[in-house]
């Protein structure tokens, strides 16, 4: 992955910040397993707050959208599996991550 973009303007909130991260325009988890390895995945420089906030929204939207795809279609290969993993508390790397996954897997989450 390219090194961090450094100080500048966040593409989302347009604020000048000292530290920015790369945010994937199309979330990495949304690419099917059939995506060519050499496909360029567009990234934009964002502040951490926007990257985190958009990441949460993309995670939630990804779960909803993945329920409407055919998991057997090559065009969506692996996407449903990633969604199930995102909802599985045992796949969490930290306690906080495990709790967040458990919460997402409930109707009230
Ligand atoms: Zn921002």
């Amino acid at each position: 992955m390219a090194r961090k973009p450094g100080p500048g303007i966040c593409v989302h909130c347009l604020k000048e910040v000292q530290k920015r991260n790369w945010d994937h325009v199309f979330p990495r988890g949304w690419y099917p397993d059939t995506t060519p390895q050499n496909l360029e995945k567009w990234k934009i420089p964002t502040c951490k707050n926007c990257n985190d906030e958009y990441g949460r929204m993309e995670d939630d939207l990804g779960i909803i959208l993945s329920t409407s795809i055919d998991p057997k279609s090559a065009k969506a290969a692996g996407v449903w599996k990633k969604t199930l993993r995102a909802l599985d508390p045992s796949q969490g790397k930290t306690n906080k991550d495990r709790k967040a996954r458990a919460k997402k897997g409930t109707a009230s989450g």
Side-chain angles (χ1 to χ4, degrees):
M1 169 134 351
R3 59 190 176 101
K4 293 192 176 194
I9 294 174
C10 168
V11 169
H12 294 305
C13 68
L14 304 179
K15 289 180 186 165
E16 179 107 23
V17 293
Q18 289 303 307
K19 290 183 179 179
R20 293 182 298 171
N21 295 320
W22 290 116
D23 186 12
H24 286 81
V25 173
F26 191 76
R28 282 182 293 179
W30 293 14
Y31 287 93
D33 293 345
T34 51
T35 304
Q37 291 292 320
N38 62 350
L39 179 78
E40 182 179 357
K41 297 177 177 86
W42 291 356
K43 293 177 282 189
I44 52 176
T46 65
C47 71
K48 185 180 182 324
N49 286 344
C50 286
N51 201 342
D52 289 349
E53 191 174 331
Y54 277 78
R56 281 190 293 274
M57 287 190 288
E58 290 162 354
D59 286 351
D60 292 345
L61 182 60
I63 290 167
I64 293 166
L65 293 176
S66 68
T67 61
S68 63
I69 59 171
D70 177 1
K72 294 177 184 158
S73 166
K75 293 176 184 170
V79 173
W80 180 239
K81 207 164 112 184
K82 289 177 204 169
T83 297
L84 291 178
R85 201 168 45 234
L87 298 172
D88 182 356
S90 72
Q91 298 292 318
K93 293 177 186 133
T94 63
N95 245 355
K96 186 179 177 186
D97 188 13
R98 285 186 279 276
K99 284 181 184 174
R101 287 169 193 253
K103 190 176 175 189
K104 282 184 184 177
T106 62
S108 61

